[in-house]
Amino acid sequence: MSQWQKYINPTVRDIPPSGIRRFFNLAAEMEGVISLGVGEPDFVTPWHIREACVYSLEKGYTTYTANQGLPLLREAVAEHLEQNYGVKYHPKDELLVTVGVSEALDLALRAVVVPGDEVLVPDPCYVSYTPCTALAGGVPVPIETRLEEDFQLTAERVEKAITPKTKALLLCYPNNPTGAILSKKNIEEITEVVKHHDLIVISDEIYDQLTYRGKHTCIASLPGMRDRTILLNGFSKAYAMTGWRVGYAAANPVFIEAMNKIHQYTMLCAPITAQMAAVEALKNGREKMQNMVQQYNRRRIMVVNALNEMGLPCFEPGGAFYAFPDIRPTGLTSEEFAEELLMETKVAVVPGNAFGKSGEGFVRCSYATSLEDLTEALKRMSRFVKKRLG
Ligand code: PLP
């Protein structure tokens, strides 16, 4: 062990590196790899959004903005949330523009968690939730979700996981990595448990616009939940804007004020150019966004059918852009499957255990990949699986 390790905060030292990055790095060192690994749209940000940014630079928008974000963007976000979900947020003190949902998540956790607080997290879940909770001093408590139950989080399981130390429930629907959308019935029942135990909800709704069957219910729109929810959302997925680094949080002013305290000293503000582009995305981006969603939907159907046909039972995802096939029929673990697939066929997928214990036995395949690449990747996967199934 290096002599310098003793200087590293043990909480940081003990956090394993992201399972997604490990495979991404392995794949990056090989030639001719088709990556279904990273959750990133293959589309370039629509031109009118890029143009708005270029134009803002021409006009000299190169400064800091208010810590909370450009009033113009906060107004556009408020309008968007009211139109989509009927939930009103005041742009003055109930919205905070952040550097992606990533920053908003970190701020939300740091603003509410005190050491020892437990945060309930559905398992499998997005790779940041567990480490970010630990970095905030909290204790992540995974709640199993299962293929046999369509990866639904149930009120019963939430209730069972609650202890006197539980402070918050962290939600992500449509879900990364399973693609599940929480049914209206389940989400309603969960809100009853949350209210009964006086918990708050941190809801990461980054995939809310990417739905294909069933309807996404914004938890903040349910009775008594607006002030109990810190709603997180952004532009990375719906508008193909991962590199712009812009997102937002919507919540009761008490939460926004606390989050803004951290934000103002650590980030100061989100980049002004990205904020100008985000205004354009919200004002005029719907049509282009819906075009992308239609294309994801076509790929989704193709991928799910192909996976089932090759002998990997695949849950039909209702949202996001991931398929999460069951690879247990091959007799391999998630890591073995991903590693052997990469080495033998140069197709990169993410082992399900990177998303938590309940992800073991599955792999995540992103279909935010061109049809051509997807078709080739599925052919290679099919040959690989057939060999294992005999
Ligand atoms: N939340 C979820 C569920 C994600 O899948 C991702 C990225 O993959 C993020 C947040 C990160 O979002 P952003 O690019 O807005 O920081």
Side-chain angles (χ1 to χ4, degrees):
M1 196 168 84
S2 159
Q3 60 171 321
W4 306 110
Q5 279 294 349
K6 68 174 186 233
Y7 293 98
I8 303 298
N9 171 342
T11 309
V12 176
R13 196 185 51 216
D14 295 345
I15 287 174
S18 157
I20 295 190
R21 285 287 143 192
R22 194 171 87 79
F23 275 84
F24 190 55
N25 291 345
L26 258 179
E29 285 165 15
M30 294 166 71
E31 257 179 53
V33 169
I34 302 178
S35 178
L36 311 184
V38 183
E40 172 151 37
D42 59 312
F43 300 107
V44 174
T45 308
W47 170 242
H48 70 102
I49 298 175
R50 287 182 275 152
E51 195 178 34
C53 165
V54 172
Y55 190 47
S56 76
L57 284 172
E58 278 176 5
K59 286 201 291 187
Y61 282 83
T62 57
T63 59
Y64 293 130
T65 68
N67 297 130
Q68 250 183 278
L70 286 172
L72 201 61
L73 178 53
R74 281 182 273 147
E75 278 156 24
V77 169
E79 211 179 301
H80 170 81
L81 291 173
E82 187 171 357
Q83 266 173 16
N84 273 263
Y85 300 118
V87 194
K88 283 190 189 174
Y89 290 97
H90 203 296
K92 185 171 153 275
D93 55 4
E94 295 188 316
L95 289 170
L96 173 66
V97 177
T98 57
V99 180
V101 170
S102 303
E103 193 214 354
L105 172 73
D106 182 44
L107 295 177
L109 287 165
R110 284 202 279 160
V112 301
V113 167
V114 293
D117 277 350
E118 292 176 359
V119 177
L120 309 178
V121 189
D123 187 343
C125 71
Y126 177 50
V127 291
S128 294
Y129 296 165
T130 300
C132 284
T133 302
L135 286 169
V139 180
V141 177
I143 307 179
E144 185 189 17
T145 62
R146 313 178 59 204
L147 172 66
E148 297 72 21
E149 295 165 358
D150 288 348
F151 292 111
Q152 291 289 300
L153 183 70
T154 60
E156 198 187 333
R157 293 228 170 120
V158 172
E159 179 108 53
K160 260 197 199 140
I162 293 172
T163 74
K165 290 185 177 165
T166 309
K167 185 171 257 175
L169 169 65
L170 187 40
L171 290 180
C172 171
Y173 291 94
N175 184 264
N176 174 7
T178 64
I181 293 181
L182 209 49
S183 73
K184 183 95 189 285
K185 176 176 168 287
N186 277 334
I187 201 163
E188 280 173 352
E189 286 173 6
I190 288 168
T191 62
E192 291 312 311
V193 173
V194 162
K195 285 188 277 187
H196 179 72
H197 291 274
D198 200 15
L199 307 181
I200 60 159
V201 172
I202 301 172
S203 186
D204 176 350
E205 311 223 353
I206 195 163
Y207 295 103
D208 71 333
Q209 303 292 320
L210 306 184
T211 58
Y212 316 102
R213 64 181 190 118
K215 206 171 170 295
H216 167 67
T217 303
C218 172
I219 192 162
S221 70
L222 296 176
M225 288 307 295
R226 180 193 176 279
D227 287 340
R228 218 175 252 290
T229 303
I230 304 178
L231 177 67
L232 315 179
N233 208 333
F235 299 84
S236 291
K237 314 289 174 168
Y239 300 97
M241 292 177 66
T242 48
W244 297 78
R245 312 309 304 130
V246 59
Y248 58 86
N252 177 284
V254 170
F255 294 120
I256 294 296
E257 191 193 352
M259 290 166 69
N260 194 28
K261 269 190 196 163
I262 310 171
H263 172 77
Q264 73 189 357
Y265 291 125
T266 53
M267 209 55 73
L268 220 157
C269 66
I272 189 168
T273 43
Q275 293 193 54
M276 293 300 283
V279 171
E280 175 63 19
L282 286 177
K283 287 204 178 304
N284 301 309
R286 179 160 282 274
E287 195 186 323
K288 290 271 184 321
M289 185 255 286
Q290 283 172 342
N291 280 343
M292 292 190 269
V293 174
Q294 273 172 15
Q295 294 193 52
Y296 293 139
N297 192 25
R298 264 180 239 130
R299 300 171 191 182
R300 175 184 77 101
I301 294 164
M302 181 187 101
V303 171
V304 170
N305 286 344
L307 290 167
N308 278 314
E309 269 164 29
M310 72 179 77
L312 301 181
C314 186
F315 160 76
E316 193 190 332
F321 39 51
Y322 308 106
F324 202 58
D326 181 352
I327 52 95
R328 287 171 293 187
T330 63
L332 300 171
T333 66
S334 302
E335 294 226 6
E336 285 165 354
F337 185 97
E339 201 147 346
E340 289 181 26
L341 182 73
L342 180 63
M343 295 308 168
E344 254 178 72
T345 73
K346 296 194 175 176
V347 172
V349 297
V350 185
N353 65 346
F355 306 97
K357 224 168 111 202
S358 311
E360 180 51 52
F362 298 83
V363 295
R364 190 191 76 175
C365 310
S366 163
Y367 50 85
T369 311
S370 73
L371 256 186
E372 199 187 348
D373 277 356
L374 268 180
T375 311
E376 176 57 26
L378 288 165
K379 258 195 225 152
R380 294 188 199 173
M381 258 178 108
S382 174
R383 280 198 297 268
F384 173 87
V385 170
K386 287 209 169 103
K387 255 198 332 202
R388 266 62 186 185
L389 297 183

